[in-house]
Amino acid sequence: HVQLVESGGGLVQAGGSLRLSCAASGITFNIYDMAWYRQAPGKERELVATITPGGGGNYADSVKGRFTISRDNAKNTVYLQMNMLKPEDTAVYYCNAQRVRVFFWGQGTQVTVSS
């Protein structure tokens, strides 16, 4: 039974920081690419950041320089450090595990940035 459980969301003022965590179970975590996606009200889900099993990260242009994705393979956990948050970062953030054509999703955690 695969589970991805996100935590760390909340309400923060613009310019503030949050750290999201996603704990995985039921998969061989260290062979999966991990990612964070987000979905704002009325918008499609979009990719925020990805990280390979070896730790190489990639980011959407909208978050480059502000967000950092990392992983701890010993703890089966992926993180998203979000700094200099903006109101347009408000969304439900989803953790994703991917290997070849297999995808798993978490239930999402709400991030709200007030202006």
Side-chain angles (χ1 to χ4, degrees):
H1 178 58
V2 177
Q3 279 193 306
L4 301 177
V5 180
E6 300 100 333
S7 60
L11 174 64
V12 64
Q13 288 189 329
S17 298
L18 283 174
R19 188 194 196 205
L20 305 183
S21 300
C22 170
S25 60
I27 59 172
T28 305
F29 182 79
N30 62 7
I31 64 172
Y32 275 77
D33 292 317
M34 300 298 296
W36 288 96
Y37 287 73
R38 67 186 181 187
Q39 187 166 18
K43 295 187 177 182
E44 292 187 353
R45 191 172 296 190
E46 64 173 356
L47 179 63
V48 175
T50 63
I51 188 166
T52 64
N58 281 290
Y59 301 89
D61 288 343
S62 60
V63 305
K64 278 181 183 176
R66 300 188 299 121
F67 290 11
T68 303
I69 190 169
S70 62
R71 66 192 294 162
D72 186 335
N73 288 338
K75 295 182 178 180
N76 288 0
T77 301
V78 61
Y79 305 97
L80 186 68
Q81 178 66 45
M82 305 185 295
N83 299 327
M84 297 182 286
L85 282 160
K86 304 175 182 180
E88 50 264 44
D89 295 318
T90 294
V92 178
Y93 283 71
Y94 296 92
C95 178
N96 168 274
Q98 178 182 349
R99 176 170 169 78
V100 192
R101 298 182 185 84
V102 176
F103 295 84
F104 298 107
W105 293 94
Q107 82 289 349
T109 186
Q110 176 70 46
V111 171
T112 303
V113 184
S114 63
S115 57

